[in-house]
Amino acid sequence: MDHAFTIGRLSKESGVKVQTIRYYEEIGMMPLAMRSEGNQRLYGDAEIARLKFIRHARDLGFGLPAIRELLELGDAPEAPCAHADEIAKRQLRDVEEKIEQLTGLQTELTRMVKQCNHGQISDCRVIEILSDHDNCLEESHGGRAHVKS
Amino acid sequence: MDHAFTIGRLSKESGVKVQTIRYYEEIGMMPLAMRSEGNQRLYGDAEIARLKFIRHARDLGFGLPAIRELLELGDAPEAPCAHADEIAKRQLRDVEEKIEQLTGLQTELTRMVKQCNHGQISDCRVIEILSDHDNCLEESHGGRAHVKS
DNA sequence: GCTAATCTCTACAGTCTCTGGAGCTATTTG
DNA sequence: CAAATAGCTCCAGAGACTGTAGAGATTAGC
């Protein structure tokens, strides 16, 4: 935990590319790293965890602004609750919604895999099924849960 | 079912923006549309279903390459199941993994919201939850979610 | 100690997936 | 039939990377 390492090692440990790490630093998702005598970035274990977190959250479909908020919850655990609570609640709603939708897809994919028993996919109904799910379409907040808006 | 309609109606019915539909055509996610005398694209019901499917899958965090694969399952209904089965299983694994991670995050966020009601978030473990997931050796394929909110 | 291989640095161009605008044409409707 | 609406193509830009070039830093082998 003591000896710092450079960006290449951080990249390997976290699974985030070197360029991406520098990009995250640039946009403030990662703190400004200490520098060595020769101007190379130096990191510790905390950065590995942070990057793994970002990577997973990205994989789960969160946008960087959302992830930034989640990171803030961890960065300032002593902060007054009002704001954090609001963020946590909003993220929680988002997460619950994602789970719900994914569970629906899981069901359909499972059925499909079952139906697909080494024959032909003559009645593969993924498209039908997913496109007929009108109920989960009109979502409150304009559909895609992402940045922007 | 018979009368064709133009892109605006398709957009409304599917919930996908006009520009995005044209973009999908450009990159081959949607077939080249027939054109009217005046060069306007004409569509039928099949396109509505296809676009709804794409939209849902995007909302769920699938990348276009993955969606393309899923669409192929429906486009080639006479194809032998082997490959399709494999794709479906892979997507299913991906979905299950996401659900698992999201559930962990959900638990943590719920806990935080609860704690918030009583004072402060003394130990926020959001990062830990999502950063400790080493077992899921990041896999490429199409899981990437580029949706941002 | 010197050199070659291997990072790392900055800066900037390009990709992917949309999204929006300008300027013009087609269609609908009052 | 003119105005409003919708569509067309082409182009720019945003978000989140990804890759490349050229120069400096670090390390490993001799």
Side-chain angles (χ1 to χ4, degrees):
Chain A
M1 339 334 258
D2 222 30
H3 57 301
F5 39 86
T6 56
I7 204 168
R9 165 109 179 271
L10 177 60
S11 170
K12 236 163 230 159
E13 303 272 346
S14 66
V16 175
K17 300 208 165 135
V18 168
Q19 332 272 104
T20 308
I21 296 170
R22 289 199 278 250
Y23 168 69
Y24 284 163
E25 181 184 296
E26 196 181 308
I27 63 169
M29 294 285 295
M30 291 296 287
L32 285 158
M34 318 249 103
R35 296 298 183 119
S36 70
E37 279 297 310
N39 197 37
Q40 301 196 348
R41 289 169 182 84
L42 295 176
Y43 300 96
D45 291 342
E47 279 78 18
I48 299 177
R50 195 180 176 95
L51 277 174
K52 279 186 178 177
F53 171 80
I54 294 174
R55 187 162 78 77
H56 283 139
R58 291 292 293 123
D59 281 348
L60 291 173
F62 290 96
L64 291 189
I67 296 171
R68 213 186 286 257
E69 284 191 338
L70 286 168
L71 285 169
E72 275 164 25
L73 294 180
D75 286 347
E78 306 301 337
C81 255
H83 185 50
D85 182 57
E86 196 254 310
I87 291 171
K89 275 184 178 148
R90 188 153 38 67
Q91 295 289 354
L92 183 56
R93 270 198 300 282
D94 197 44
V95 167
E96 277 164 351
E97 204 176 280
K98 278 178 206 266
I99 289 175
E100 204 181 305
Q101 295 207 341
L102 282 172
T103 305
L105 183 57
Q106 179 188 29
T107 305
E108 297 313 328
L109 283 172
T110 304
R111 182 193 306 178
M112 217 181 90
V113 168
K114 259 187 207 139
Q115 283 186 358
C116 237
N117 269 341
H118 291 57
Q120 300 205 322
I121 15 173
S122 17
D123 53 10
C124 175
R125 317 199 308 126
V126 229
I127 294 180
E128 225 179 295
I129 289 163
L130 270 182
S131 52
D132 282 352
H133 250 244
D134 282 314
N135 39 331
C136 64
L137 264 195
E138 330 250 332
E139 254 332 304
S140 24
H141 49 37
R144 56 234 324 35
H146 301 282
V147 218
K148 177 141 214 94
S149 82
Chain B
M1 338 241 107
D2 224 27
H3 58 300
F5 40 86
T6 56
I7 203 167
R9 165 107 180 273
L10 177 60
S11 170
K12 237 164 231 161
E13 303 271 346
S14 66
V16 176
K17 300 211 162 130
V18 168
Q19 324 271 98
T20 307
I21 296 171
R22 291 198 278 249
Y23 168 69
Y24 284 162
E25 180 183 296
E26 196 181 306
I27 64 168
M29 294 284 295
M30 291 296 287
L32 283 159
M34 318 251 103
R35 298 294 184 121
S36 71
E37 280 295 311
N39 197 38
Q40 303 196 347
R41 290 170 180 83
L42 295 175
Y43 299 97
D45 291 341
E47 279 79 19
I48 298 176
R50 194 179 175 96
L51 277 175
K52 278 186 178 179
F53 172 80
I54 294 174
R55 185 159 114 70
H56 279 148
R58 291 296 290 124
D59 280 348
L60 291 172
F62 289 95
L64 291 188
I67 296 171
R68 220 185 278 258
E69 278 189 340
L70 286 168
L71 284 169
E72 276 163 25
L73 297 180
D75 285 347
E78 306 303 335
C81 246
H83 184 51
D85 187 54
E86 192 251 311
I87 292 169
K89 277 184 178 147
R90 184 153 45 65
Q91 297 294 348
L92 182 57
R93 268 197 303 281
D94 197 46
V95 167
E96 279 166 350
E97 199 179 283
K98 284 181 191 202
I99 290 175
E100 203 183 307
Q101 294 209 354
L102 281 171
T103 304
L105 186 55
Q106 179 188 32
T107 304
E108 183 57 19
L109 285 172
T110 304
R111 198 179 63 76
M112 290 176 69
V113 168
K114 253 187 214 139
Q115 284 192 1
C116 258
N117 289 335
H118 309 317
Q120 301 203 320
I121 325 172
S122 17
D123 64 321
C124 171
R125 313 198 309 118
V126 194
I127 295 182
E128 269 170 75
I129 297 284
L130 283 189
S131 58
D132 282 352
H133 230 260
D134 283 315
N135 39 332
C136 66
L137 294 188
E138 60 167 294
E139 214 354 76
S140 40
H141 56 288
R144 218 89 175 71
H146 279 271
V147 240
K148 342 274 71 149
S149 118

